[in-house]
């Protein structure tokens, strides 16, 4: 009964490759997020989707493209991977956007991406 | 946008001592202030949160205080235990969350 799941857990790939990370939540939440956590543990939001629509797109290279086929899924596709993309990527979800009454964000287990 | 500063970056205490982590934020529109605990290799998990209409909240050994005028909020852990060792993140926001850079708390037996 995993609340927020991500696949794969580990991803090792060469520079220049294209890869995808999948995220699914079974909490019935409306909003989903992607965060990047670098080697210094800094947790930074990348994207936020509300009911399949993009609502936040932080300063992220356009090599990163999120896709939300339905409100339970938010996938992250990365083109032309670079060494600096190596990090742990966390998906998260919440009942509604932050200004609403249900704000807790539930995080997935993370995907450790290593670019060689 | 919001800017959240968190201090200290590392904190070592003896078991049974109290630990305090402090955060400041810049955007007066922020109204939600959660704290997350991240154990090594695990996901961040919410341990306590506070909203702007509340000055203090307590849950067993953890408490959070908020001073909206000064734009700072703090996490207090009393009677620390080795299993409290982790990285703690504060966050602040209105329509999205901005996280602090984290505090690595080490509780020695």
């Amino acid at each position: 009964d995993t609340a927020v799941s991500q696949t794969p857990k580990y991803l090792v790939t060469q520079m220049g490759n294209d890869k995808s990370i999948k995220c699914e939540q079974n909490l019935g939440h409306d909003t989903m997020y992607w965060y990047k956590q670098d080697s210094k543990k800094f947790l930074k939001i990348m994207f936020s989707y509300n009911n399949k629509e993009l609502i936040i797109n932080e300063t992220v290279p356009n090599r990163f493209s999120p896709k939300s086929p339905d409100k339970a899924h938010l996938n992250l596709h990365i083109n032309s991977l670079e060494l600096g993309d190596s990090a742990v990527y966390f998906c998260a979800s919440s009942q509604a956007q932050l200004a609403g009454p249900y704000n807790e964000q539930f995080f997935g287990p993370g995907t450790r991406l290593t670019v060689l | 946008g919001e800017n959240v500063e968190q201090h200290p970056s590392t904190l070592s205490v003896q078991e049974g001592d109290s630990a305090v982590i402090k955060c400041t934020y810049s955007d007066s529109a922020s109204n939600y202030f959660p704290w997350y605990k991240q154990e090594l290799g695990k996901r961040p998990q919410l341990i306590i949160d506070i909203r702007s209409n509340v000055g203090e909240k307590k849950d067993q050994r953890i408490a959070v205080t908020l001073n909206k005028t000064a734009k700072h909020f703090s996490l207090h852990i009393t009677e620390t235990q080795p299993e409290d060792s982790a990285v703690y993140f504060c966050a602040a926001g209105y329509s999205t969350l901005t996280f602090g850079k984290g505090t690595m708390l080490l509780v020695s037996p």
Side-chain angles (χ1 to χ4, degrees):
Chain A
D1 59 348
T2 305
V4 183
S5 59
Q6 293 178 230
T7 54
K9 190 169 173 62
Y10 300 96
L11 187 51
V12 181
T13 188
Q14 299 285 332
M15 267 196 317
N17 284 352
D18 303 338
K19 291 293 178 185
S20 292
I21 307 171
K22 296 186 176 181
C23 178
E24 176 181 2
Q25 54 94 5
N26 63 5
L27 297 167
H29 288 168
D30 291 330
T31 306
M32 296 184 72
Y33 313 82
W34 276 110
Y35 286 89
K36 179 181 180 181
Q37 187 171 45
D38 61 24
S39 57
K40 295 184 179 179
K41 302 296 184 186
F42 186 40
L43 201 59
K44 186 171 170 59
I45 190 165
M46 301 172 68
F47 301 102
S48 172
Y49 268 71
N50 182 257
N51 269 318
K52 301 192 298 176
E53 291 195 15
L54 179 67
I55 54 173
I56 291 168
N57 182 351
E58 292 295 316
T59 307
V60 176
N62 57 15
R63 298 182 294 104
F64 291 78
S65 53
K67 284 188 173 50
S68 183
D70 55 62
K71 74 172 193 177
H73 295 84
L74 180 61
N75 303 323
L76 183 65
H77 188 76
I78 315 170
N79 288 328
S80 303
L81 279 155
E82 300 177 357
L83 293 176
D85 297 333
S86 295
V88 179
Y89 291 84
F90 285 100
C91 176
S93 73
S94 64
Q95 177 76 7
Q97 292 183 59
L98 214 59
Y102 305 106
N103 302 133
E104 179 180 354
Q105 291 189 17
F106 293 81
F107 283 80
T111 295
R112 182 174 292 277
L113 172 64
T114 303
V115 182
L116 304 175
Chain B
E2 178 62 275
N3 181 46
V4 177
E5 299 283 339
Q6 182 172 347
H7 299 280
S9 56
T10 58
L11 179 58
S12 294
V13 299
Q14 293 289 321
E15 183 176 2
D17 288 349
S18 294
V20 180
I21 303 170
K22 298 183 178 182
C23 289
T24 60
Y25 62 99
S26 60
D27 190 347
S28 56
S30 288
N31 66 350
Y32 179 59
F33 308 90
W35 287 87
Y36 282 82
K37 176 183 180 183
Q38 187 178 25
E39 296 177 353
L40 188 63
K42 301 284 180 66
R43 72 190 79 191
Q45 290 194 293
L46 183 74
I47 54 170
I48 194 167
D49 57 12
I50 193 168
R51 300 177 198 284
S52 58
N53 58 347
V54 176
E56 185 174 355
K57 185 176 177 181
K58 191 172 181 180
D59 182 3
Q60 298 182 331
R61 295 187 297 108
I62 60 173
V64 58
T65 58
L66 171 65
N67 183 328
K68 281 220 77 177
T69 304
K71 295 199 190 72
H72 65 71
F73 55 114
S74 302
L75 177 72
H76 304 253
I77 306 174
T78 59
E79 299 171 30
T80 54
Q81 300 165 3
E83 50 266 38
D84 294 331
S85 297
V87 179
Y88 291 80
F89 293 94
C90 64
Y94 177 75
S95 60
T96 187
L97 281 180
T98 299
F99 283 79
K101 292 191 174 181
T103 296
M104 181 172 293
L105 173 64
L106 177 61
V107 182
S108 303

